[in-house]
Amino acid sequence: MTRPRTVLVTGAGGKTGRAVCAALARRGAAPRAFVRTPDRVADLDLPGLEVATGDQRRVDDLVAALDGVDAVYAIAPNVSLDEIDMGAAIVAACQRAGVGRLVFHSVIHPQLTDMPHHTDKARVEERLIASGLAWTILQPNVYLQNLAGYADTIRDGRYEVPYAAAARLAMVDLDDVAEVAARCLVDGLGVHATFELSGPAEVSPSDVARRAAELLGHDVAVARQDPDVWAAGPGADLPDANRTRLLAMFRDYDRHGSPGDATVLTAILGRPPGDLDTYLATFLTT
């Protein structure tokens, strides 16, 4: 009997890593969660989940975690200052351990230099392309799942974000991104390919508020929160450098939104991607 394909998922304690682990299990693979401490995935309901601990910046830690692994999904913590070092470490670890398949979680439009965390991902992409590995690069847009953090205030009739209410974002369902990742890692899809993963429509905070109001049966006001107010409130507990990176992202959203097209995602999935209306109905009415 052929053993399940074993896939190391770095950053497995975050929402993306968790979603990818679950998608891999659904596809018959054996995910191995790489985390700093085991408690990061203690509540992940995947029977038999393997857990490896270590530091993504340390090649030796990664090499140890790669024992018996067939492929890797590499994702750094959000807006991490160590993105480039982590990228270099996982490439070096795969080369040393003889693991040839690596799928990298990048970001939509990594060439945008006004956002340092995008630029860092572009540098990792460059390293991957020159690595000799069987790489795939995924470039997801803003997650629909980010809206869940606003569920209580939306139900109370207000949706407030630290960028323009008219900014249009091609928001993508994280579960769709995780399904693409699993297909790449288990089925060998997309070797030496870069996939932009955006949702089926560019929607604004105003659109979110209007559609939420229709679902809830009462008005939902939309407002642009002053980024300085955000920095002193929700962003206050973040390290200074991470807060600065997110503020740069909000400024870019003010100017350009986060455009994208669902052609690639639709073709890979073989179905329409998840959309705003479906996601709102799921988390606002349950």
Side-chain angles (χ1 to χ4, degrees):
M1 181 176 179
T2 304
R3 71 173 177 84
R5 189 167 178 80
T6 301
V7 179
L8 185 74
V9 179
T10 71
K15 63 184 174 185
T16 301
R18 287 165 169 259
V20 171
C21 284
L24 286 166
R26 288 193 297 271
R27 210 155 187 85
R32 181 180 297 171
F34 187 81
V35 288
R36 290 296 296 266
T37 56
D39 62 284
R40 294 285 294 158
V41 288
D43 62 342
L44 192 54
D45 186 21
L46 291 176
L49 176 69
E50 294 183 40
V51 178
T53 58
D55 186 329
Q56 285 199 61
R57 297 166 297 185
R58 292 180 54 83
V59 176
D60 288 346
D61 288 0
L62 290 163
V63 169
L66 288 171
D67 183 43
V69 162
D70 302 295
V72 176
Y73 193 78
I75 176 169
N78 191 36
V79 300
S80 173
L81 300 183
D82 297 317
E83 178 86 49
I84 294 175
D85 290 341
M86 290 179 177
I90 191 60
V91 168
C94 285
Q95 291 169 333
R96 188 192 300 180
V99 176
R101 185 73 172 110
L102 194 155
V103 177
F104 174 58
H105 187 97
S106 186
V107 69
I108 197 74
H109 311 315
Q111 64 270 41
L112 292 175
T113 57
D114 286 342
M115 292 185 281
H117 67 291
H118 281 228
T119 305
D120 286 354
K121 285 186 178 291
R123 298 286 71 78
V124 177
E125 289 188 11
E126 183 178 12
R127 183 180 291 269
L128 263 180
I129 292 167
S131 68
L133 301 174
W135 52 265
T136 303
I137 296 166
L138 303 188
Q139 296 178 337
N141 217 311
V142 183
Y143 293 155
L144 285 168
Q145 279 72 9
N146 292 353
L147 296 173
Y150 298 92
D152 290 342
T153 58
I154 289 174
R155 290 192 186 99
D156 289 341
R158 186 171 180 81
Y159 179 45
E160 189 173 73
V161 291
Y163 49 88
R168 305 194 69 77
L169 301 89
M171 302 180 81
V172 67
D173 192 321
L174 172 56
D175 289 340
D176 288 343
V177 174
E179 182 176 339
V180 172
R183 292 189 184 191
C184 292
L185 291 157
V186 178
D187 303 338
L189 175 71
V191 173
H192 297 157
T194 299
F195 295 140
E196 289 190 356
L197 305 177
S198 288
E202 294 176 0
V203 295
S204 68
S206 294
D207 293 326
V208 172
R210 182 177 63 256
R211 295 176 189 181
E214 293 168 356
L215 284 166
L216 294 169
H218 62 70
D219 289 344
V220 177
V222 63
R224 178 187 186 273
Q225 182 181 45
D226 187 311
D228 290 337
V229 173
W230 173 87
D237 292 336
L238 297 172
D240 290 346
N242 297 69
R243 186 186 313 111
T244 297
R245 288 185 162 212
L246 287 171
L247 287 168
M249 183 181 74
F250 298 149
R251 288 193 297 270
D252 197 81
Y253 287 176
D254 271 335
R255 294 191 294 269
H256 310 298
S258 187
D261 177 89
T263 300
V264 172
L265 181 57
T266 302
I268 294 173
L269 295 175
R271 59 169 173 79
D275 59 19
L276 175 65
D277 290 345
T278 302
Y279 184 70
L280 282 177
T282 298
F283 91 86
L284 285 180
T285 60
T286 56

